[in-house]
């Protein structure tokens, strides 16, 4: 038989006193006798009573809980983001209620309703690849519950956002490939909707334009599901079709690792014949052989800044103030490794 939760009513009934008396005894009110306090504390210890903080906080119209919706937990980047969120939340006395959309809009909608009904004080969201509007988050705004977007966002001025400079990161990656002598650069593109994917494509185009390299649509390859297998098959088909290329830039490390595998299995030397760069700088970059160059995406810092911004907005509302939506952009940095460094490779040889 499952245990029944011990409540103040349980303790009051066993001691033959009222619920308010038990409550006041636990709070050490001076009008409660020492004997009653001792009896209450003894029984609380024996029954392992745990206060229902949620019920208490709801009476104060506050839960001290932050809701979080992310696409997936297993991804290295998101695990780093969660650590940053947790650290900031705990420092400010908040708990975190985490859900994942699995990149599906219907699940994102479901979790938004769940978190609203759980009385979260604020919500952090990295949008799914299918999300095109904020309609399912309107209820949070209607009830004055702050919402902060991070990483994958939509273009809006009404909601605070924390992102990295995706365009600049992609520009750096593409420019680096050009400096390595690449002019026929495959761009492994992600899903169409998220703003970060769009900005990475813009950075790729801007770098080509700066060095007077024509944009060739045949080098733009769509990988909407962003999986290693998807990228492998795509690059394998390109190789077998005899389309020539000398560089690859993937909007995710996962895609670039898949592309690396396809090149190696077809006898193409990396970086001597093809240079490859990814995006995120996940742990797999240093595990791969050759090690993968990648644009560093500071997941921990994104999580930390997002939670700090959300808590700031929560506290402003609680004090009767108003917050202004803010767009926070963190710097991205290219980390060059063996997969794109022809100068290093030539020295090794």
């Amino acid at each position: 038989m499952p245990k029944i939760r011990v409540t103040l009513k349980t303790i009051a009934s066993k001691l033959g006193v009222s619920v308010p008396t038990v409550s006041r005894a636990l709070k050490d009110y001076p009008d409660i006798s020492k004997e009653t306090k001792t009896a209450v504390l003894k029984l609380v210890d024996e029954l392992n009573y745990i206060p229902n903080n949620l019920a208490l906080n709801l009476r104060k119209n506050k839960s001290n809980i932050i809701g979080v919706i992310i696409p997936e937990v297993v991804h290295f980047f998101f695990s780093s983001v969660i650590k940053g969120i947790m650290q900031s939340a705990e420092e400010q006395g908040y708990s975190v209620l985490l859900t994942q959309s699995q990149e599906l809009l219907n699940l994102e909608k479901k979790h938004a309703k769940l978190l609203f009904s759980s009385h979260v004080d604020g919500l952090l969201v990295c949008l799914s690849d299918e999300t095109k509007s904020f309609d399912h988050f309107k209820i949070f705004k209607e009830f004055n519950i702050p919402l902060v977007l991070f990483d994958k966002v939509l273009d809006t001025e009404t909601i605070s956002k924390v992102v990295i400079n995706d365009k600049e990161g992609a520009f750096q990656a593409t420019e680096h490939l050009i400096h390595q002598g690449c002019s026929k650069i495959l761009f492994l593109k992600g899903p169409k909707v998220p703003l970060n994917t769009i900005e990475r494509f813009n950075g790729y185009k801007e770098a080509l334009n700066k060095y007077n390299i024509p944009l060739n649509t045949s080098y733009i390859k769509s990988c909407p599901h962003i999986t290693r297998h998807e990228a492998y098959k795509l690059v394998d088909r390109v190789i077998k079709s005899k389309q020539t290329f000398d560089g690859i830039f993937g909007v995710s490390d996962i895609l670039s690792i898949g592309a690396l595998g396809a090149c190696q299995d077809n006898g193409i030397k990396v970086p001597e014949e093809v240079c490859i760069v990814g995006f995120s700088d996940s742990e797999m970059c240093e595990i791969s052989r050759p090690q993968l160059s990648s644009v560093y995406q500071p997941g921990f810092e994104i999580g930390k800044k997002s939670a700090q911004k959300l808590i700031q907005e929560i506290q402003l509302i609680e004090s009767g103030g108003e917050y202004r939506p803010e767009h926070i952009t963190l710097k991205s940095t290219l980390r060059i490794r063996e997969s794109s460094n022809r100068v290093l490779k030539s020295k090794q040889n």
Side-chain angles (χ1 to χ4, degrees), residues 8 11 21-29 40-41 44 49:
L8 292 180
I11 296 168
T21 296
V22 174
S23 178
R24 293 171 73 83
L26 289 172
K27 295 174 183 176
D28 200 25
Y29 274 64
V40 168
L41 292 174
V44 161
Y49 166 72

Side-chain angles (χ1 to χ4, degrees), residues 44-318:
V44 161
D45 185 56
E46 289 176 359
L47 299 179
N48 195 27
Y49 166 72
I50 300 173
N52 189 344
N53 289 327
L54 178 59
L56 178 64
N57 287 329
L58 288 180
R59 286 196 289 273
K60 299 177 182 177
N61 200 29
K62 182 175 177 62
S63 67
N64 276 69
I65 298 174
I66 291 173
V68 180
I69 303 176
I70 61 172
E72 54 185 345
V73 178
V74 295
H75 195 289
F76 171 78
F77 169 70
F78 288 116
S79 66
S80 300
V81 170
I82 293 167
K83 288 178 183 177
I85 292 173
M86 297 288 286
Q87 179 174 303
S88 286
E90 289 174 6
E91 288 173 354
Q92 296 293 322
Y94 285 83
S95 297
V96 175
L97 188 53
L98 179 68
T99 64
Q100 56 179 339
S101 67
Q102 298 176 34
E103 300 289 10
L104 300 173
L105 177 58
N106 65 325
L107 274 181
E108 185 176 278
K109 289 180 177 180
K110 177 182 178 181
H111 294 321
K113 290 180 180 178
L114 168 67
L115 293 170
F116 178 79
S117 65
S118 299
H119 300 276
V120 295
D121 291 336
L123 183 64
L124 293 173
V125 183
C126 177
L127 299 171
S128 80
D129 289 339
E130 297 180 347
T131 305
K132 298 179 181 180
S133 76
F134 301 109
D135 291 348
H136 48 299
F137 295 116
K138 282 182 178 178
I139 191 169
F140 288 88
K141 189 172 183 62
E142 291 170 358
F143 282 82
N144 210 20
I145 300 171
L147 166 65
V148 172
L149 303 176
F150 65 90
D151 185 43
K152 286 195 290 185
V153 304
L154 294 180
D155 192 11
T156 176
E157 300 300 323
T158 62
I159 301 173
S160 291
K161 295 173 284 187
V162 179
V163 297
I164 67 163
N165 195 328
D166 289 287
K167 183 178 179 181
E168 177 61 24
F171 177 89
Q172 291 174 10
T174 309
E175 182 178 56
H176 166 65
L177 289 172
I178 294 170
H179 285 167
Q180 296 298 306
C182 303
S183 60
K184 300 175 180 179
I185 304 169
L186 291 182
F187 178 73
L188 305 185
K189 191 178 182 181
K192 297 178 181 179
V193 178
L195 191 60
N196 63 350
T197 300
I198 295 170
E199 286 296 282
R200 291 172 196 180
F201 183 43
N202 289 337
Y204 165 78
K205 291 189 295 183
E206 189 173 285
L208 294 182
N209 184 60
K210 178 180 176 179
Y211 292 92
N212 299 313
I213 299 173
L215 178 65
N216 188 334
T217 55
S218 69
Y219 287 118
I220 302 167
K221 306 297 181 180
S222 180
C223 298
H225 304 295
I226 308 190
T227 65
R228 185 185 59 81
H229 181 64
E230 180 182 35
Y232 180 97
K233 288 180 63 178
L234 190 153
V235 174
D236 184 63
R237 283 200 303 270
V238 171
I239 294 169
K240 287 178 169 54
S241 73
K242 305 301 181 181
Q243 179 181 0
T244 59
F245 61 94
D246 51 20
I248 300 175
F249 171 43
V251 297
S252 166
D253 289 339
I254 294 172
L255 297 181
S256 297
I257 291 292
L260 173 62
C263 288
Q264 291 174 327
D265 287 351
N266 282 278
I268 295 175
K269 295 180 180 179
V270 177
E272 294 91 335
E273 296 176 83
V274 173
C275 293
I276 303 176
V277 179
F279 204 110
S280 194
D281 197 39
S282 58
E283 287 180 328
M284 68 178 71
C285 292
E286 295 187 347
I287 297 172
S288 70
R289 291 294 179 270
Q291 292 185 337
L292 182 69
S293 297
S294 185
V295 178
Y296 173 60
Q297 195 174 11
F300 181 84
E301 191 67 15
I302 290 173
K304 189 174 181 180
K305 290 284 186 184
S306 299
Q308 287 174 343
K309 179 58 183 171
L310 183 66
I311 293 169
Q312 180 187 63
E313 293 185 0
I314 291 170
Q315 292 173 343
L316 275 171
I317 290 174
E318 290 173 351

